[in-house]
Amino acid sequence: MAGNAMLNEWYPVGLFSHLAMGVYKTALMGEKIAVSADANGDAVVITSAGRILPVLVRFGHVWSSLGEPTKDLFSIPEADQPGRRFVEVGVVRVRCSPLRAVENFLDIAHFPFVHTDILGAEPHTEVQNYKVEIRDVEDEVWATQVKFYQPQAAKSASGGITTEYMYRVPSPTCSVLYKTCPPRPTEWDVIALFVQPLAEDLCDVWPWMALFDDETSMTDLIHFQQTIFLQDRSILENQIPHLLPLDPGMEIPTRADMTSVAYRRWLKRHNYTYGAQLVAQ
Ligand SMILES: [Fe+2]
C-alpha cells in the first residue's frame, strides 16, 4: 500500500450526528481507528497506535485520512442550497472492493435487472447514448445526458418517467449522482455514495442525499435508499474478480459501461490502486 496515492485522500469514517453517542470504532484501509468528539464537540480521529489523523466534517459525515491530504475534500454546492432535505442514510457494509462499490453505482445498465420495477423495468433496458469525460480542470470523471426510463425514479415520483442523470466521480471512492427532480424540474436531486475503504475487499458505504421533497417522511426516504442499496449488495458480493481490474481487456466493456471505463482509466492515471487488481490472475 505504501506509495499508493489513495493514502492521501479523504474518506468518510462515520456520521457526525452519531458522535454524541460515544466513541465509534471502525477501520480505514486496514488500520483500526476510533472516531469521537472532544470536549468542544469537534470530531477527533485516532489510530489504535495513538496517531491523530486529519479530520473534517462535511455532508453530515466525519472525514479522515491516513496520509497527508494535499487538497480539500470536494464540494457539493447543492449541500448549501436552501430548501433541500439532507438525508443521512446510514451505513451498509459490503464485502467488496471500495472501487467496485463506486463502479456499480455508476452502472446504469443494471437498473432493470437489479432494481426491477423501481429504478428500471423490462423491456426498457436500453441505455441511450450519453457523454463521458474526464474533466482536467476539476480532475473528475463526469457522465452527462444519461436518460433512462424508470417506473419509480424517486420516492416522490408517481408513475413512470424518463429520468435524466449526471454522474460525477470527484474522489476515488465517492460518487455524486444528479437526477431529475420530479417536484422541481429546474433542479437536480443529489444522491451521493461515500465509500469508506475498510480493506481492499471490504467497505462501508454511506449513502447521502440532498433532495427537494417536502412530502416523504425521513423514515421512508431512508428506507427507499436502503432497499435499493441492499439489492446492489448481493450483486457486489458475488462479483469476480473481487478487486477492480484496471487494465483494459480484463473485463469486456459494453457501451453502457463507458463511465466505468473512464473511471478505471482515471484511477490508473492517478495510481489510485487500493482495491484494484493490476494484472490478470
Ligand atoms: Fe444499483
Side-chain angles (χ1 to χ4, degrees):
M1 193 176 80
N4 188 326
M6 278 177 68
L7 213 54
N8 295 322
E9 294 290 317
W10 292 104
Y11 299 100
V13 293
L15 282 174
F16 183 68
S17 60
H18 282 185
L19 294 188
M21 286 154 52
V23 179
Y24 176 63
K25 290 190 173 166
T26 178
L28 183 57
M29 300 169 98
E31 288 241 22
K32 287 182 179 159
I33 59 169
V35 187
S36 61
D38 66 12
N40 297 322
D42 294 325
V44 178
V45 182
I46 189 164
T47 67
S48 54
R51 185 160 69 98
I52 295 170
L53 299 182
V55 65
L56 59 81
V57 175
R58 202 167 294 167
F59 319 129
H61 292 75
V62 180
W63 299 75
S64 192
S65 175
L66 290 179
E68 295 167 6
T70 52
K71 55 182 188 195
D72 192 13
L73 180 64
F74 58 88
S75 69
I76 303 176
E78 290 80 5
D80 300 317
Q81 201 176 6
R84 284 187 188 262
R85 285 173 75 198
F86 304 107
V87 186
E88 298 160 5
V89 177
V91 68
V92 183
R93 177 153 301 179
V94 189
R95 185 154 290 284
C96 75
S97 157
L99 307 179
R100 281 280 195 201
V102 171
E103 186 204 42
N104 172 73
F105 188 67
L106 300 173
D107 173 31
I108 311 114
H110 79 282
F111 284 175
F113 309 106
V114 178
H115 309 296
T116 313
D117 297 332
I118 306 174
L119 298 185
E122 296 180 85
H124 308 278
T125 57
E126 199 201 339
V127 179
Q128 297 166 41
N129 267 323
Y130 59 95
K131 218 175 124 195
V132 181
E133 60 187 328
I134 296 175
R135 294 188 181 169
D136 288 327
V137 176
E138 297 91 341
D139 193 20
E140 296 181 352
V141 181
W142 277 80
T144 55
Q145 298 167 26
V146 183
K147 290 190 187 71
F148 209 80
Y149 175 83
Q150 298 191 315
Q152 191 190 358
K155 197 68 201 172
S156 58
S158 53
I161 52 169
T162 295
T163 305
E164 189 171 343
Y165 283 83
M166 295 192 293
Y167 286 93
R168 170 186 173 208
V169 182
S171 85
T173 71
C174 294
S175 182
V176 185
L177 160 63
Y178 301 85
K179 69 193 280 189
T180 308
C181 173
R184 291 213 196 185
T186 58
E187 302 282 356
W188 298 90
D189 274 339
V190 173
I191 300 173
L193 206 69
F194 306 141
V195 181
Q196 174 182 358
L198 301 169
E200 288 205 77
D201 58 356
L202 185 68
C203 56
D204 273 349
V205 177
W206 303 89
W208 178 83
M209 304 190 282
L211 311 175
F212 285 111
D213 180 345
D214 299 325
E215 307 285 311
T216 314
S217 75
M218 194 56 100
T219 308
D220 283 354
L221 288 172
I222 290 171
H223 190 243
F224 180 76
Q225 204 55 37
Q226 278 175 344
T227 303
I228 301 286
F229 207 78
L230 289 172
Q231 292 173 333
D232 285 308
R233 184 165 72 176
S234 57
I235 303 296
L236 279 166
E237 295 194 334
N238 288 303
Q239 263 176 338
I240 303 287
H242 293 299
L243 302 184
L244 182 71
L246 294 191
D247 282 312
M250 289 174 68
E251 280 176 327
I252 300 156
T254 63
R255 189 172 54 134
D257 281 319
M258 285 194 317
T259 317
S260 169
V261 171
Y263 174 55
R264 295 179 194 205
R265 189 177 298 146
W266 179 78
L267 291 171
K268 197 171 179 185
R269 181 190 290 182
H270 287 288
N271 195 27
Y272 290 148
T273 55
Y274 190 81
Q277 183 176 313
L278 293 172
V279 287
Q281 285 174 346

